[in-house]
Amino acid sequence: MPPRLTVLSGPWKNTSFAVVAPLSIGSDSSNSICLEDPAVALQHSCISEAAGCFTIRDLDSPAGTFVNGIPITERVLSFGDQISVGDSSFLFLPEAAASAESRSVELDDQAALSLSAQQLKPEDLLYLRPESLAALPPAVRLARTLSTLLKISSAIGFMRDIDALQWQLLALLFDVIPAERGVILLLDCSTGEFSAPVAWDRAAGPDHPVHLSRVLAQRVVEERVAVLDHEPPRVASSNSANAAPASGLSLLCVPLTTPTQSLGLIYLDTRNPATRFSNDDLQLLSAIAGLASVAVENARQFESLGSENQRLRAEFQLQHDMIGRGPRMRQVYQFIERVAPSDSTVLILGESGTGKELASRAIHLNSPRKSRPFVALNCAALTETLLESELFGHERGAFTSAVSQKKGLLEVAEGGTVFLDEVAELPHALQAKLLRVLQEREFVRLGGTCSIKLNVRFIAATNKDLQKAVTDEKFRLDLFYRLNVVSISMPALREHPEDIPFLTDHFVTRYSARSNRKVLGLSPAARACLAQYDWPGNIRELENAIERAIVIGNSDVILPEDLPDALADRALPASESATKFHDAVRESKKHLILTALEQSQGSFTQAAKLLGLHPNYLHRLVSNLDLKSTLKSAAKH
């Protein structure tokens, strides 16, 4: 069967190609593997076959072709070689290896070691201690061993793909140690369990599982010891009394470690009596494992940094006006990134002031419709008649004041996005009409007879529980299903308080510029007030609080007394002197309010006039100052 190229990175990632020579690679569509990559030439490289050997040749491409990180002109490919062309990388494997599953390794619960097993701890490793080189075998073997270590170090040192690194390492091990079977097992960082196994049986191939003692694997990893063991020969099962003894198993198992953690292990075994492992093989494999551990850790760090870089690039490229860096806001950004390219209807849930309209605008700005109109309509701001006229438009004479034809917002938004805010407030009659628009993608103007085709994307938002509204028969179930294709709940500010400093600095910059005042920021006491408040009005309330503080303040920093009373009253004071001051102010407010209510005989409207306040604000003060119980007691007497 022909070998295969498994794609590790690039546009064809996670696929594989059979290597049927000649195989060409390039950006032109005529190639066997077409790579849409500006770094790839039209005819970049090709793979040919001669006498069962496969050779890759670079076709004088500007960017070059690399094998195991080294630029080549022509090279014979070996098992486990990594080929890089532009941003794509391929692993050269026999066909069976490309599809080998994790079942190629079976962890058995049998006894781990014989009594004659040799074990090496880190301090016993000769190759890792230069002063012990004198104890090694003769000069010829030493030169060959050092050459092997240099070759492996050069081959795997710059590999950044974990899977490719493991296959390449296993191939190199088979070149220098006479093993019949080999396994590389890595530990999953999050679970501590073995994962991502790479295994190979020279004779049977990857479909034949390689057996490994679970007890041995756990001991090697946990105790960080390298093991050499030999099973005694066993009599083969046969009816003949002269049956020859079966060769015992000779095995090597060494840990992959860093100074701070265990990464996994390398396991090799053989039953060939002519190639039984020696202590020199154990020392060599342990030295190779030391090099491989560094390469594995580097590759993991590289993958982690790559994922983080990709996430940050996605957030940077995402166009939006939202502020926030915490985990909850990152989830919002990721959601926008996923749904923006589609035309699916989006339902945005969340409390008032959480930024639902900003999220809807971000979806529009990052969608293919970004060059077309974004039209927003507050469904709670207009009466039913005006709302219908605004949404669908009207013909001349449709009602008394309709002196001319008017296009509705749906028609104005053609090709763009319609944002329906407070959609739960839609009257029942309009709910039915909106449902038809969502289903048929057409509508009729008020007083009209002709259907108008519609091509818009709908985004709806509400701070109400729509499912409860459906249960209470205040909202149509079929409309709810049409709107709730994909949905997200915008987090309340109290759910991501880590973003308050960023939001505050943003609003300080904005409103100090508008007010022509140089405000440097907030005092520590003011920041404490913001941190201790639960923000029932969310980001909108925070914005209003900062704007008010900048307007009424007279210093270059915002002080607690510049903030709204609700914040100062609920915040814990920063010092004993501040405690006395705030307590005195609080008691004074209580006395003034109770006196005014007593003079007005309990009328909040009259008491508010006496105090020069709005009645709604007076109610807020009564709640914030915990005066409700006092007023109830006074009313009983």
Side-chain angles (χ1 to χ4, degrees):
M1 292 185 293
R4 301 186 69 82
L5 289 179
T6 296
V7 188
L8 303 175
S9 63
W12 294 100
K13 184 177 181 180
N14 297 327
T15 58
S16 61
F17 296 91
V19 181
V20 180
L23 182 144
S24 59
I25 303 173
S27 59
D28 189 80
S29 59
S30 62
N31 289 283
S32 307
I33 301 178
C34 177
L35 302 174
E36 295 181 358
D37 183 341
V40 177
L42 294 175
Q43 305 294 332
H44 198 100
S45 55
C46 68
I47 298 177
S48 58
E49 180 186 8
C53 293
F54 290 86
T55 302
I56 185 168
R57 183 164 56 91
D58 182 72
L59 302 177
D60 296 326
S61 62
T65 301
F66 296 78
V67 176
N68 301 328
I70 301 172
I72 58 97
T73 301
E74 186 172 312
R75 172 167 169 158
V76 176
L77 291 172
S78 302
F79 161 73
D81 278 344
Q82 183 177 3
I83 303 166
S84 298
V85 176
D87 289 335
S88 299
S89 59
F90 308 84
L91 191 65
F92 182 75
L93 295 172
E95 183 178 33
S99 60
E101 299 177 0
S102 60
R103 60 184 174 83
S104 58
V105 177
E106 289 188 359
L107 293 173
D108 301 328
D109 294 323
Q110 66 220 28
L113 300 174
S114 67
L115 295 176
S116 61
Q118 297 183 45
Q119 302 179 51
L120 292 182
K121 295 183 178 181
E123 57 269 22
D124 301 323
L125 301 178
L126 299 176
Y127 291 107
L128 301 185
R129 292 189 292 123
E131 67 274 11
S132 301
L133 289 177
L136 291 173
V140 174
R141 183 174 176 86
L142 174 60
R144 177 181 175 274
T145 300
L146 293 178
S147 175
T148 297
L149 292 176
L150 179 61
K151 177 183 176 183
I152 291 178
S153 177
S154 301
I156 68 175
F158 298 99
M159 298 186 74
R160 294 294 179 259
D161 184 276
I162 290 287
D163 292 335
L165 189 153
Q166 292 179 85
W167 281 110
Q168 177 74 14
L169 177 60
L170 194 57
L172 292 169
L173 287 172
F174 279 173
D175 285 343
V176 297
I177 296 179
E180 292 181 315
R181 287 161 293 277
V183 173
I184 298 177
L185 279 180
L186 298 183
L187 284 172
D188 188 297
C189 300
S190 57
T191 65
E193 299 293 329
F194 289 116
S195 65
V198 168
W200 188 257
D201 187 314
R202 285 186 194 257
D207 288 332
H208 188 275
V210 177
H211 293 268
L212 171 61
S213 166
R214 187 186 302 275
V215 176
L216 171 63
Q218 291 176 342
R219 180 174 180 180
V220 167
V221 168
E222 292 173 3
E223 299 181 13
R224 298 190 175 198
V225 294
V227 173
L228 164 64
D229 195 13
H230 303 289
E231 289 182 358
R234 293 172 298 175
V235 176
S237 58
S238 173
N239 296 327
S240 171
N242 299 321
S247 299
L249 185 71
S250 179
L251 67 86
L252 296 169
C253 192
V254 300
L256 295 168
T257 63
T258 67
T260 58
Q261 63 177 328
S262 294
L263 302 176
L265 61 85
I266 301 175
Y267 170 85
L268 300 175
D269 71 33
T270 181
R271 290 190 181 275
N272 187 343
T275 58
R276 290 171 72 80
F277 300 135
S278 66
N279 185 64
D280 292 328
D281 294 319
L282 180 61
Q283 290 281 355
L284 177 59
L285 183 59
S286 298
I288 293 172
L291 297 174
S293 298
V294 177
V296 169
E297 179 66 10
N298 288 342
R300 281 184 167 176
Q301 291 291 339
F302 187 83
E303 286 188 355
S304 176
L305 290 173
S307 300
E308 180 69 6
N309 183 50
Q310 185 177 10
R311 182 190 63 77
L312 292 173
R313 282 179 177 273
E315 288 188 12
F316 177 76
Q317 294 170 0
L318 191 70
Q319 297 183 50
H320 63 85
D321 294 322
M322 292 178 285
I323 306 295
R325 305 178 188 177
R328 292 301 306 275
M329 290 307 297
R330 286 183 178 179
Q331 291 174 8
V332 173
Y333 302 148
Q334 291 167 4
F335 173 84
I336 293 171
E337 184 184 4
R338 290 196 302 269
V339 305
S342 73
D343 271 340
S344 299
T345 301
V346 179
L347 178 62
I348 303 176
L349 307 171
E351 297 177 9
S352 179
T354 51
K356 296 187 290 295
E357 183 169 349
L358 287 178
S360 69
R361 288 184 182 275
I363 293 173
H364 173 74
L365 285 173
N366 293 276
S367 74
R369 297 175 179 269
K370 62 183 178 182
S371 61
R372 306 298 298 165
F374 175 87
V375 176
L377 177 65
N378 190 326
C379 299
L382 301 172
T383 64
E384 180 176 346
T385 303
L386 287 176
L387 188 59
E388 185 174 7
S389 176
E390 284 294 312
L391 197 57
F392 301 108
H394 60 255
E395 298 287 355
R396 180 180 179 182
F399 45 85
T400 306
S401 58
V403 295
S404 61
Q405 184 192 77
K406 178 187 174 182
K407 291 184 178 182
L409 295 181
L410 293 179
E411 203 168 347
V412 171
E414 177 65 18
T417 303
V418 173
F419 173 58
L420 301 175
D421 197 8
E422 304 298 345
V423 72
E425 306 300 328
L426 269 179
H428 261 276
L430 281 184
Q431 290 180 29
K433 292 187 176 182
L434 178 60
L435 176 64
R436 176 171 175 78
V437 172
L438 290 168
Q439 290 175 333
E440 307 298 333
R441 295 292 163 167
E442 62 180 28
F443 68 98
V444 179
R445 296 194 195 106
L446 280 176
T449 55
C450 298
S451 293
I452 300 172
K453 292 294 182 182
L454 186 65
N455 174 25
V456 299
R457 181 184 193 168
F458 284 93
I459 302 176
T462 181
N463 59 6
K464 300 290 180 63
D465 185 343
L466 276 188
Q467 289 184 323
K468 185 176 184 301
V470 169
T471 304
D472 296 341
E473 298 184 352
K474 294 180 180 179
F475 200 82
R476 293 178 64 107
L477 179 62
D478 45 9
L479 179 58
F480 171 71
Y481 288 142
R482 282 288 178 181
L483 294 175
N484 192 32
V485 178
V486 288
S487 64
I488 185 173
S489 182
M490 296 296 291
L493 186 54
R494 60 183 172 276
E495 296 174 8
H496 57 116
E498 67 276 5
D499 288 328
I500 290 178
F502 304 115
L503 289 162
T504 301
D505 294 342
H506 173 73
F507 294 138
V508 166
T509 301
R510 173 190 291 181
Y511 290 107
S512 59
R514 289 185 184 180
S515 303
N516 293 320
R517 280 195 59 209
K518 186 177 180 180
V519 179
L520 302 179
L522 281 78
S523 68
R527 287 194 180 275
C529 290
L530 300 184
Q532 293 157 8
Y533 189 55
D534 60 1
W535 300 107
N538 294 294
I539 299 173
R540 185 182 292 119
E541 185 180 6
L542 174 61
E543 181 178 5
N544 293 342
I546 298 301
E547 182 180 8
R548 175 189 186 277
I550 289 176
V551 170
I552 68 172
N554 54 17
S555 65
D556 58 356
V557 294
I558 295 176
L559 303 173
E561 52 265 33
D562 299 331
L563 298 171
D565 292 337
L567 273 72
D569 288 340
R570 294 190 186 184
L572 296 176
S575 64
E576 185 178 353
S577 58
T579 300
K580 294 178 180 179
F581 171 76
H582 283 290
D583 285 346
V585 171
R586 187 180 181 88
E587 291 302 320
S588 177
K589 287 181 180 180
K590 286 183 177 181
H591 177 72
L592 289 171
I593 291 171
L594 291 173
T595 302
L597 285 170
E598 184 179 352
Q599 292 175 356
S600 61
Q601 298 179 346
S603 171
F604 271 80
T605 303
Q606 293 299 321
K609 286 183 179 179
L610 291 173
L611 294 170
L613 303 174
H614 191 281
N616 291 343
Y617 184 56
L618 179 58
H619 279 283
R620 279 183 56 193
L621 285 175
V622 168
S623 176
N624 293 341
L625 297 171
D626 297 326
L627 288 175
K628 289 185 178 180
S629 57
T630 304
L631 294 175
K632 287 180 180 179
S633 300
K636 289 180 181 179
H637 294 86

